[in-house]
């Protein structure tokens, strides 16, 4: 992906990277940042859902200790043990996304920022951008691993202009 973004710099022109602090995103962002020679900001705001005591637990053990406990099985305001609720997750992502967009529109130079994050986060952003009411019960809008999604400021509003592109894999 880093090579693809470098070769397509005229299309993406990334100036800075923000990444989730979780391992997969950090690894990906480090490789891309090195390839593009860009600064990276690490942020907890762009994490996947905080599933508390289940974090890092093998699925079989989680199923044994917490049978039937899945993101979609939680009430909207019910927290994972030691974690966050679906609505807290949604609000955290909405706030991070809204703040990033506002910071870009309140400046003389709109900076092209790449956010390296996770499928659940991208799912929430798609719901926001497509004006679809979000719930942890909704059908998940899938994002491919290393899929590229582009949100641009056009005509006074933010809009998705590239959805789930995997051209860099071909």
């Amino acid at each position: 992906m880093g090579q693809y973004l470098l070769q397509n710099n005229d299309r993406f022109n990334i100036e800075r990277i923000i990444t989730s602090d979780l391992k997969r995103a950090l690894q990906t962002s480090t490789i891309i940042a090195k390839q593009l020679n860009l600064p990276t900001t690490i942020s907890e705001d762009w994490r996947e859902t905080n599933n508390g005591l289940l974090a890092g637990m093998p699925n079989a053990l989680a199923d044994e200790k917490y049978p039937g406990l899945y993101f979609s099985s939680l009430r909207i305001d019910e927290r994972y043990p030691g974690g966050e609720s679906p609505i807290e997750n949604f609000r955290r992502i909405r706030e991070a996304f809204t703040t990033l967009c506002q910071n870009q529109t309140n400046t003389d130079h709109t900076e092209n920022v790449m956010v390296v994050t996770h499928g659940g986060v991208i799912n929430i952003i798609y719901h926001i951008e497509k004006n679809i009411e979000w719930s942890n019960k909704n059908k998940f809008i899938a994002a491919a691993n290393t899929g590229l999604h582009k949100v641009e400021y056009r005509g006074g509003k933010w809009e998705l202009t590239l959805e789930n592109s995997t051209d860099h894999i071909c």
Side-chain angles (χ1 to χ4, degrees):
M1 179 187 286
Q3 187 63 38
Y4 175 82
L5 293 170
L6 185 62
Q7 291 171 346
N8 291 276
N9 187 49
D10 58 327
R11 182 174 172 202
F12 296 101
N13 192 29
I14 299 165
E15 298 172 74
R16 180 169 60 98
I17 298 172
I18 299 172
T19 183
S20 159
D21 64 339
L22 298 180
K23 186 177 181 179
R24 293 180 322 239
L26 273 174
Q27 290 172 333
T28 302
S29 65
T30 299
I31 294 166
I32 294 168
K34 184 176 180 183
Q35 186 76 40
L36 301 178
N37 193 30
L38 291 174
T40 301
T41 303
I42 300 169
S43 173
E44 293 179 1
D45 294 340
W46 295 97
R47 283 181 173 189
E48 191 65 273
T49 304
N50 177 356
N51 59 352
L53 299 178
L54 281 77
M57 190 180 289
N59 288 342
L61 182 56
D63 286 341
E64 182 183 311
K65 289 184 87 168
Y66 303 98
L69 181 59
Y70 303 102
F71 188 70
S72 63
S73 70
L74 294 169
R75 290 184 324 274
I76 196 79
D77 62 347
E78 180 183 8
R79 289 181 171 173
Y80 275 106
E84 68 185 343
S85 70
I87 195 63
E88 288 170 328
N89 172 243
F90 174 81
R91 289 176 180 155
R92 174 174 51 81
I93 301 308
R94 182 183 61 194
E95 178 67 26
F97 181 66
T98 301
T99 299
L100 179 60
C101 291
Q102 286 173 343
N103 288 344
Q104 295 304 305
T105 55
N106 293 335
T107 181
D108 292 337
H109 170 68
T110 302
E111 186 179 39
N112 290 329
V113 179
M114 177 179 210
V115 177
V116 179
T117 189
H118 312 276
V121 175
I122 294 166
N123 181 60
I124 289 172
I125 291 170
Y126 268 59
H127 277 81
I128 293 167
E129 282 301 297
K130 293 176 178 274
N131 202 26
I132 301 169
E133 185 175 341
W134 182 88
S135 166
N136 61 317
K137 312 290 187 202
N138 286 11
K139 183 177 184 217
F140 193 79
I141 300 170
N145 288 336
T146 74
L148 290 171
H149 314 264
K150 191 173 184 182
V151 180
E152 292 184 90
Y153 192 66
R154 293 183 168 178
K157 66 179 187 158
W158 291 94
E159 59 184 64
L160 280 162
T161 59
L162 180 67
E163 297 185 30
N164 214 16
S165 173
T166 55
D167 292 347
H168 58 285
I169 297 174
C170 300

